[in-house]
Amino acid sequence: MWRRLVCLALLSGLAACQRAPDLPPVASRGDIATVEAQASEWPSYGGQSSSTKYSSLDQINTANVASLRKAWTWHSGEVSTGTEQVDATVGEMTPIYVNARLYGCTPYGRAVALDPATGRELWSFDPKKPRTGNMYHENYCRGVAYWQAPDPATRAQPCGKRILYGAQNAVLHALDADTGRLCAEFGQNGHVDLGAMDYKGEGKPANTSPPAVWGNVVALGTAVQDNMYRNSLDGIVRAFDVVTGKPLWSWNPIPDDISAVTGAANAWAPLSVDAKRGWLFLPTGSASWDTLGVNRLDRIPDADAVVALDMRTGRKVWSYQTVHHDLWDYDLPAAPTLATIDHNGRPAEAVIQATKTGNIFVLDRETGKPLFPVAERRVPASTMPGERASPTQPMPLLPHAVTSQRLRPEDAWGLLGFDTAACHTRLKALRNEGLFTPPSIGGSLLHPSFLGGTNWGGLAYDPTTGLAVVNSSNLAASVRLVPRAKFDPGRDLHPGVSYYEMQGSPYVMLREVLMSPLGIPCNPPPWGRLTAIDMKTGQTRWQVPFGRLTTSSGITSPAAWGAPNQGGPIVTRGGLVFIGASLDSRLRAYDIQTGRELWQAFVPAPATATPMTFRHTDGKQYVVVNAGGHGGFGTKLSDALVAFALR
């Protein structure tokens, strides 16, 4: 499993507004604190458009969660370990609950509606997405979005309620939420082909995360091929009329004057919406090439940044950069969490952003300025010819990083003397001056690794306790820029090494998670954690090891070691944190006050997705998680969506 894990390259301007979009109905324009308090459905990927992943339901609570039992399982019928005919499947989907139905999507791109009480499939739409040749040779879909007309009469008509989602081949679909039929008036017979639009640069676009909806506007970002092209496709965010599919605006994070020499800085992760302001919040990534910046020495302030856009026009309101001149592929991988926190004795509307570095940034939602102090710290200079690394990087003083950010050769870890010594040798051979050590020809340490820190699962915020809960991985990796003329596949490539072309550069890029001869990470455990942060003070309330793993040599780790993880947590008024994410095929519940594990259940495969919860018309609260596993990680695979309820 681990040998395949380290081969994965994880995903991780103002445009003209053609017409002013309709404002959302008054009921959807309340402040986020009010919406949080009433959150009992799960109408969008992050629970609410604010991405708090919070539910006000408490039928399932700390006193009775031990009685939680499987209620039903739905099977998509879509599983692939990866062949020439079908790319590997990845289970990263979180369904939504709205209109008294569950809506989601499958790895092969089908949109489905399910009976929430039984898991029975009500309808399915198959866009015939290609099953091979997908980005990173994986089939996946993270979720769908929902829209309904503001007036009941229109809502009762065909396509008065819609499911919208961007398929992996960059086609935006609009479906009738009741029947699954295409909404013919949307775009071209229910589709908008994003790939046919002008993106500037090389490669082809894809969609990995669900769109965001506000009023009559649907907006979505773009995934591009990392570490491939000098001028990757620009990371353009686009918005469309939710009824007609007509383009409304587009916004490009790459300045016009350097668009010919670089690209990307794209928002591939989920997006968030402040419904009261009508602002869209983006987590953007690194510009291309990801680990070599000689072609992009000019400032790109909207790369690796939290960006707020006006959803009416696409106008940028503000931007806050979390990594300057990114050379580490430290994309912002998760939706910004919009929460109302207690700050200096007063309510403060905040944006909480988790990052791959393990840093957590807490920003004022109106201005983008940090609510907790952030210091510009001196960081190492680059030794690459023509490179100019940023002399400083922003480091929050609070909250504290949720993962380790420094690893010395003497910290090398192993089960036995010989593998500890092997890890020590590997670490000592790398350039290692702490976080933000630039890539080099001889090899540099990347800690946290390119997997994070945190990744696309992001964090959850509980307004009743003021706690933000986030899972994180703790791994060390190496990154090496090998002169193309000296690259020898027979010598430089071995199991565990990932190869990146970096077309047009004098180098190829190699990186790998650092493992001992026994298949154990070279850095000390825990390798996965779950952390609760008090947003009133910025201090860590608790932190516990999270997850377990089985190594390539057949060793199952103790709970205290934790494990790398993918997916995210949710929190409920019942005092619970629910999370799958671990690679050990379990769904867990924790006490949000203490971090104590209260319940766990085995699921058919690792639940590398974020769970969700809802109360259906039958009066029951359900917790649902996609347990499909991850073909890119080489885990056990399944096609299961599993629901739990109290017996």
Side-chain angles (χ1 to χ4, degrees):
M1 178 183 76
W2 274 92
R3 293 307 182 188
R4 296 191 62 187
L5 164 63
V6 298
C7 293
L8 177 69
L10 189 69
L11 300 180
S12 51
L14 173 65
C17 177
Q18 299 192 13
R19 77 169 180 83
D22 297 332
L23 290 174
V26 173
S28 70
R29 297 176 64 193
D31 63 90
I32 286 172
T34 301
V35 172
E36 286 172 344
Q38 300 171 349
S40 59
E41 292 191 325
W42 202 271
S44 66
Y45 175 84
Q48 309 299 319
S49 63
S50 55
S51 296
T52 55
K53 295 184 222 156
Y54 168 77
S55 170
S56 66
L57 297 177
D58 59 4
Q59 184 182 99
I60 304 169
N61 53 57
T62 55
N64 62 20
V65 68
S67 298
L68 209 56
R69 296 292 184 269
K70 185 171 70 174
W72 53 258
T73 302
W74 173 77
H75 296 279
S76 71
E78 300 178 4
V79 176
S80 173
T81 57
T83 67
E84 291 185 3
Q85 291 74 37
V86 183
D87 292 337
T89 52
V90 172
E92 295 182 346
M93 189 272 293
T94 297
I96 61 175
Y97 174 82
V98 68
N99 193 34
R101 296 184 178 185
L102 274 180
Y103 297 100
C105 52
T106 69
Y108 295 162
R110 286 191 301 128
V112 296
L114 305 179
D115 182 326
T118 65
R120 179 175 61 90
E121 190 171 303
L122 302 174
W123 59 252
S124 171
F125 167 76
D126 188 352
K128 307 298 183 183
K129 176 192 76 72
R131 297 186 181 184
T132 188
N134 294 290
M135 190 172 289
Y136 306 115
H137 303 290
E138 293 170 354
N139 282 296
Y140 54 84
C141 179
R142 289 206 181 102
V144 302
Y146 177 82
W147 170 89
Q148 65 181 25
D151 64 289
T154 304
R155 197 180 308 156
Q157 300 299 313
C159 286
K161 295 172 285 187
R162 300 187 177 200
I163 295 299
L164 301 112
Y165 75 113
Q168 213 174 347
N169 57 341
V171 178
L172 178 62
H173 305 288
L175 310 173
D176 182 278
D178 289 332
T179 66
R181 298 189 182 99
L182 285 164
C183 298
E185 70 275 22
F186 182 86
Q188 298 294 317
N189 297 315
H191 316 284
V192 172
D193 185 356
L194 303 170
M197 297 181 173
D198 180 19
Y199 274 91
K200 302 179 183 178
E202 298 181 72
K204 60 181 182 179
N207 294 109
T208 61
S209 297
V213 175
W214 180 82
N216 273 21
V217 182
V218 55
L220 70 170
T222 311
V224 303
Q225 183 80 45
D226 284 348
N227 302 294
M228 177 65 76
Y229 307 107
R230 171 180 59 86
N231 59 329
S232 291
L233 294 181
D234 289 359
I236 297 174
V237 178
R238 300 186 186 276
F240 303 89
D241 186 292
V242 77
V243 175
T244 66
K246 184 178 181 180
L248 296 176
W249 52 260
S250 63
W251 176 82
N252 191 346
I254 301 294
D256 288 341
D257 58 345
I258 61 171
S259 183
V261 297
T262 189
N266 51 302
W268 56 265
L271 315 177
S272 303
V273 176
D274 183 326
K276 182 179 70 173
R277 290 177 172 84
W279 290 359
L280 178 69
F281 288 83
L282 316 173
T284 66
S286 58
S288 57
W289 299 286
D290 302 68
T291 54
L292 182 68
V294 295
N295 58 310
R296 50 178 172 90
L297 297 177
D298 297 287
R299 292 184 66 251
I300 309 175
D302 296 327
D304 298 277
V306 182
V307 182
L309 303 180
D310 190 322
M311 276 196 88
R312 303 167 185 85
T313 64
R315 177 184 64 88
K316 185 175 78 172
V317 181
W318 57 258
S319 173
Y320 183 87
Q321 190 167 65
T322 63
V323 178
H324 306 321
H325 191 64
D326 189 356
L327 300 175
W328 306 271
D329 199 6
Y330 279 154
D331 295 351
L332 286 186
T337 300
L338 313 182
T340 302
I341 67 173
D342 185 347
H343 185 69
N344 293 332
R346 303 179 63 181
E349 294 183 317
V351 182
I352 311 171
Q353 181 65 59
T355 72
K356 284 186 178 180
T357 62
N359 289 329
I360 306 292
F361 290 85
V362 186
L363 310 174
D364 183 288
R365 201 179 318 151
E366 185 71 28
T367 66
K369 295 180 179 178
L371 291 175
F372 292 106
V374 176
E376 286 286 340
R377 293 274 173 81
R378 298 289 301 182
V379 293
S382 176
T383 57
M384 295 299 298
E387 184 63 272
R388 190 166 65 239
S390 173
T392 65
Q393 292 290 348
M395 295 290 289
L397 304 186
L398 288 172
H400 300 297
V402 297
T403 189
S404 170
Q405 294 180 322
R406 190 172 187 89
L407 180 67
R408 303 167 301 173
E410 53 265 36
D411 299 324
W413 196 88
L415 288 176
L416 302 172
F418 80 93
D419 67 324
T420 303
C423 284
H424 181 274
T425 299
R426 298 194 71 184
L427 289 170
K428 193 172 182 179
L430 297 171
R431 184 184 178 194
N432 177 10
E433 298 172 54
L435 184 63
F436 298 118
T437 299
S440 60
I441 291 175
S444 297
L445 183 72
L446 187 64
H447 184 62
S449 79
F450 50 91
L451 298 171
T454 63
N455 214 288
W456 56 265
L459 57 81
Y461 178 73
D462 179 4
T464 65
T465 63
L467 295 178
V469 180
V470 61
N471 55 304
S472 60
S473 297
N474 182 34
L475 294 172
S478 66
V479 57
R480 185 158 63 106
L481 298 175
V482 181
R484 194 176 301 272
K486 297 182 179 180
F487 173 62
D488 180 353
R491 179 196 63 212
D492 295 321
L493 297 182
H494 54 81
V497 175
S498 298
Y499 164 84
Y500 302 90
E501 179 63 25
M502 292 180 60
Q503 293 181 9
S505 81
Y507 310 97
V508 299
M509 191 262 283
L510 306 179
R511 64 186 184 187
E512 62 177 313
V513 174
L514 297 177
M515 311 291 286
S516 81
L518 291 177
I520 299 290
C522 278
N523 58 291
W527 301 310
R529 288 178 172 137
L530 191 63
T531 304
I533 302 165
D534 187 336
M535 280 296 147
K536 183 176 181 179
T537 64
Q539 298 290 343
T540 300
R541 173 74 64 84
W542 52 258
Q543 188 173 69
V544 297
F546 171 65
R548 302 179 75 168
L549 61 85
T550 300
T551 72
S552 59
S553 55
I555 300 169
T556 299
S557 68
W561 289 3
N565 46 86
Q566 289 296 315
I570 67 170
V571 292
T572 75
R573 192 170 63 183
L576 296 170
V577 179
F578 286 101
I579 184 168
S582 177
L583 304 183
D584 60 2
S585 301
R586 289 176 174 92
L587 177 66
R588 292 176 168 89
Y590 293 83
D591 186 324
I592 195 170
Q593 294 285 1
T594 65
R596 183 167 65 93
E597 184 179 311
L598 300 178
W599 171 86
Q600 66 171 249
F602 283 98
V603 288
T608 53
T610 301
M612 52 84 72
T613 188
F614 61 92
R615 181 176 57 230
H616 188 42
T617 54
D618 61 6
K620 290 184 179 180
Q621 181 184 353
Y622 294 85
V623 178
V624 177
V625 71
N626 181 12
H630 201 303
F633 281 2
T635 73
K636 179 182 179 182
L637 299 180
S638 175
D639 62 350
L641 186 72
V642 187
F644 296 86
L646 293 173
R647 59 182 176 184

